[in-house]
Amino acid sequence: MELDKFKLILGSQSPRRKELLSWLNIDYQIITADLEEISTEILAEKIAVDLAIQKADAVFIKSQKQSNPFIITADTIVVLDNKIYGKPKDREEAQIILGELSGKKHQVITGVCFKYQDKTHAFYDKTEVTFNRIDSISMQNYLETNDSLDKAGAYGIQGPSLSFISNINGSYSNVVGFPLDKVVIELELLFGKDWRNLF
């Protein structure tokens, strides 16, 4: 008897994560975690992974009516000099965050979790991003787009912030919020080159 194929579930409403996952050309459903994102971890990498696992656990519970669910969740944080930046609560906080990142190098870390059957597989990816100095006119122009308000670190690399991003070292999709290349690598490590046949 052939085992049921996995039903892929993305535990995120992020339009950026939805778009990136869709590039795998696999049908998936969205079920959100809807939890308060709090971690007791200290290291940035562990915080991102911990939050991704929390989301996966919550989505797994909500997806029990699905046949053989395979949950993918992610959590992205921005780090500068051990200070962690999440999503700004308003435009004023976004300006403060961008001001601190201006002219500096920072890290973008995304924790990812796969949860399926009785297994949990979690990992992270890290990308270094360099900002040019953001002058006052560029700052105001960017803030007026409201692009910063729903993104960790108060910016999205795929939007108008490209006017002050001078360099990235690592995965571009990781900075968007979902390290697609690393996700594929991890799926291959778990299930082999024919992993797509499981979905």
Side-chain angles (χ1 to χ4, degrees), residues 32-52:
T32 56
D34 303 320
L35 53 78
E36 191 174 2
E37 298 179 14
I38 298 173
S39 176
T40 57
E41 297 288 351
I42 297 172
L43 293 176
E45 294 86 350
K46 289 189 174 182
I47 292 171
V49 168
D50 180 38
L51 292 174

Side-chain angles (χ1 to χ4, degrees), residues 91 94-95 98 131 134-165:
R91 188 182 288 191
Q95 182 168 354
L98 291 169
F131 277 11
I134 309 173
D135 61 44
S136 59
I137 295 174
S138 297
M139 177 76 78
Q140 291 310 310
N141 285 341
Y142 181 61
L143 291 171
E144 285 171 12
T145 69
N146 287 328
D147 186 60
S148 61
L149 294 182
D150 65 338
K151 298 174 180 70
Y155 76 96
I157 193 169
Q158 71 281 25
S161 65
L162 284 172
S163 63
F164 50 78
I165 295 173

Side-chain angles (χ1 to χ4, degrees), residues 52-92:
I53 292 171
Q54 288 183 39
K55 291 177 183 179
D57 288 343
V59 173
F60 194 76
I61 291 169
K62 294 168 74 171
S63 64
Q64 290 309 296
K65 292 182 180 178
Q66 303 293 329
S67 175
N68 206 15
F70 188 100
I71 316 298
I72 299 182
T73 55
D75 191 85
T76 301
I77 58 178
V78 168
V79 185
L80 173 67
D81 297 332
N82 296 318
K83 182 174 180 179
I84 293 171
Y85 298 88
K87 299 173 185 176
K89 66 179 183 292
D90 52 34
R91 188 182 288 191
E92 288 70 29

Side-chain angles (χ1 to χ4, degrees), residues 7 16 50 68 90 108 166 182 186:
K7 172 63 179 178
R16 297 162 295 282
D50 180 38
N68 206 15
D90 52 34
V108 179
S166 64
K182 189 78 176 281
E186 295 291 330

